[in-house]
Amino acid sequence: LAGVMNAHYPTRAAFWSVANRLSFLFDFKGPSLSCDTACSSSAAALVLAMDMLRAGRCDVAIAGGVNVISHPRHLASHVALGIQSRQGRLRPFSADADGMLSGEGAGVVILKMLDRAQADGDKIEGILRGAALGSGGRSSSYTAPSPSGHDDVITQALADAGVAPQAISLIEAHGTGTRLGDPIEVEGLTRALGPQTRALVGSVKANIGHAESAAAMAGLFKVLAQMR
């Protein structure tokens, strides 16, 4: 499953081919599809892969995301929307934040059920205990996130993982460095984890920019590197 967005290629883009070209090349069987849910694309691919493994639809799943800036129109559209940093710096959760910066990247994980990975003697980098997908529904505007939507999906993920909110010590957040999005994300996290939470919050986007359809993979890799 591949998370992918942005289609500014002169020859147009075939998102379906991102996943299926790999399935063809490596002779992979089973579900092979691409997900375009904007900046959550690789997260959606990851959750769908987990669901397929849990449902027994496959024994091994490959999930990832890719983001390529192939045309100046990509950045021009961000400037037109007023979300591009004029400082040239992405500062998540900072009073000096003035917008995002785009980044390119690609990342892939190989997933198995834990007992299968242990039986196969695989090197296990981390355990995904739970996940959730959700939309915030109607908010103050189409481009504005919803604090209640953040709260709902985080609460669902914690319930799926069987983890109490009080047990969370570190959060790899979306953290795009925008004055609209970051405070809403903090509000959603506070609602889900409780006002007494002492969890640390960070965003890898301060280091590599916003990788859009590969952003969730970048955040996951950062957490795995921290645990290592």
Side-chain angles (χ1 to χ4, degrees):
L1 292 99
V4 58
M5 64 181 288
N6 297 314
H8 300 307
Y9 295 91
T11 56
R12 303 184 67 183
F15 289 165
W16 59 267
S17 192
V18 175
N20 285 286
R21 177 64 67 176
L22 292 174
S23 296
F24 172 80
L25 180 65
F26 293 107
D27 194 26
F28 293 151
K29 305 298 194 302
S32 179
L33 55 99
S34 298
C35 306
D36 180 4
T37 58
C39 303
S40 61
S41 294
S42 57
L46 187 67
V47 177
L48 291 174
M50 292 172 63
D51 288 345
M52 289 179 184
L53 283 167
R54 287 171 161 180
R57 298 185 186 279
C58 56
D59 297 322
V60 181
I62 298 176
V66 58
N67 192 56
V68 176
I69 302 171
S70 60
H71 194 280
R73 189 183 304 124
H74 180 113
L75 302 178
S77 65
H78 290 172
V79 173
L81 288 169
I83 60 175
Q84 193 81 356
S85 170
R86 295 183 180 276
Q87 303 176 50
R89 294 286 301 274
L90 198 160
R91 303 174 186 272
F93 308 109
S94 169
D96 297 326
D98 73 336
M100 60 169 274
L101 291 175
S102 294
E104 296 181 305
V108 174
V109 290
I110 299 174
L111 306 172
K112 291 182 180 180
M113 298 301 289
L114 180 58
D115 55 355
R116 171 71 183 270
Q118 291 172 328
D120 290 345
D122 295 326
K123 180 182 179 182
I124 299 171
E125 296 286 351
I127 300 172
L128 298 169
R129 299 186 60 164
L133 285 175
S135 170
R138 186 182 293 275
S139 62
S140 58
S141 77
Y142 183 59
T143 57
S146 163
S148 61
H150 277 69
D151 178 9
D152 289 344
V153 77
I154 294 167
T155 299
Q156 291 171 25
L158 290 172
D160 185 49
V163 173
Q166 299 78 16
I168 302 298
S169 59
L170 175 68
I171 298 164
E172 175 59 25
H174 191 48
T176 56
T178 60
R179 292 176 181 173
L180 173 66
D182 286 2
I184 291 175
E185 186 172 7
V186 170
E187 173 64 21
L189 287 166
T190 303
R191 292 186 188 186
L193 302 182
Q196 302 305 315
T197 182
R198 299 181 65 82
L200 301 176
V201 179
S203 171
V204 72
K205 293 178 180 64
N207 300 92
I208 66 170
H210 188 351
E212 299 182 71
S213 46
M217 282 292 122
L220 175 60
F221 293 165
K222 176 186 168 185
V223 172
L224 292 174
Q226 286 172 309
M227 291 196 299
R228 186 184 304 134

